[in-house]
Amino acid sequence: MSALLPQFVNLLGAVLLLLAFAMTSQRRMLALIHLFTMQGATLALATAVVGYVTRQHHLYLSAGLTVVLKVLLIPWLLHRVLDRLGIRRDVETLINIPTTMLIGIGVVIFAFNLSIPISHLSSALASGTLGIALACVLLSFLMMITRTKAVPQVIGFLAMENGLFFAATAATYGMPMVVELGIGLDVLVGVLILGVFMFQIREQFDSLDIHHLEQLKDD
């Protein structure tokens, strides 16, 4: 049974990558939040499995923190933001979805090739997950730069942090608990600040299109 657990971690990493792809191609705002919630749940499960296999008990607390923040609290805050702003329409993209997916495939290939030398030197439980984590980070960054609205960019930022957290968990068995708590607090505060930021954009320009910020130039 224990021999299958590393393969299960790899499977969860593959699920994270598929969810990152789905988020990159998703145009509906509510579906995007649901995919982020599923990614957070998958990340929490992967963290708990790594903690069980390696007997790193602090990873159980990390998994619980991930559930509280990324499965419950942050999605709830994002839903509240959508309700307050009255957003129900599709997400506008700078590049059409098929082209974005082709770019995403290239990004994944690049990420895996980049991580191969490091993976060969790693003796971690699932060293192959480093390429998956890097691909998730780059796909999230791709989602941020191809969206014109503030809300999807916030979700892309949070998904990028998910990829970094998965890399730290699978490759190095997690960070010190003080660091993880600090990062969790920073993410939560960042979401709250970005929420205020989105309200200000909507109040000033009656839109969440960040291109309106180009109007804020010094005279």
Side-chain angles (χ1 to χ4, degrees):
M1 180 65 181
S2 59
L4 296 177
L5 290 177
Q7 299 302 320
F8 186 54
V9 174
N10 285 324
L11 175 62
L12 292 175
V15 173
L16 284 175
L17 183 58
L18 289 175
L19 289 171
F21 254 114
M23 293 170 69
T24 303
S25 62
Q26 183 56 243
R27 298 188 60 184
R28 298 190 64 83
M29 203 80 73
L30 288 176
L32 194 58
I33 296 177
H34 293 158
L35 288 171
F36 171 75
T37 304
M38 293 171 61
Q39 193 180 57
T42 305
L43 179 63
L45 179 58
T47 303
V49 172
V50 173
Y52 175 78
V53 175
T54 61
R55 301 185 186 278
Q56 302 285 335
H57 300 295
H58 71 278
L59 290 179
Y60 294 131
L61 184 57
S62 298
L65 182 63
T66 300
V67 171
V68 172
L69 285 179
K70 299 178 181 179
V71 180
L72 300 176
L73 184 56
I74 291 178
W76 178 77
L77 289 174
L78 291 173
H79 278 292
R80 287 292 302 272
V81 168
L82 293 187
D83 291 339
R84 291 287 300 275
L85 295 175
I87 300 175
R88 287 294 180 268
R89 59 183 180 274
D90 292 345
V91 180
E92 298 178 8
T93 59
L94 296 175
I95 306 174
N96 61 59
I97 297 302
T99 303
T100 302
M101 296 302 293
L102 289 175
I103 296 174
I105 293 173
V107 164
V108 172
I109 295 173
F110 170 77
F112 275 91
N113 287 330
L114 185 64
S115 65
I116 286 175
I118 303 175
S119 299
H120 287 326
L121 297 175
S122 176
S123 60
L125 169 67
S127 57
T129 56
L130 183 60
I132 295 176
L134 180 58
C136 289
V137 171
L138 294 180
L139 285 174
S140 300
F141 183 70
L142 177 64
M143 184 176 72
M144 290 180 64
I145 64 178
T146 57
R147 297 298 194 270
T148 61
K149 303 298 182 182
V151 176
Q153 292 188 343
V154 171
I155 297 176
F157 166 76
L158 295 171
M160 185 183 298
E161 197 274 333
N162 283 346
L164 293 173
F165 190 88
F166 181 66
T169 300
T172 65
Y173 305 151
M175 299 169 285
M177 183 52 58
V178 174
V179 177
E180 293 181 7
L181 291 174
I183 292 175
L185 180 61
D186 288 343
V187 169
L188 180 59
V189 172
V191 171
L192 295 176
I193 293 175
L194 289 170
V196 174
F197 176 64
M198 286 185 285
F199 280 115
Q200 291 297 322
I201 295 178
R202 182 62 177 267
E203 182 178 350
Q204 293 295 325
F205 302 108
D206 195 29
S207 171
L208 287 178
D209 194 329
I210 60 173
H211 289 156
H212 289 302
L213 295 179
E214 296 177 359
Q215 301 177 14
L216 301 177
K217 298 180 180 179
D218 294 332
D219 295 333

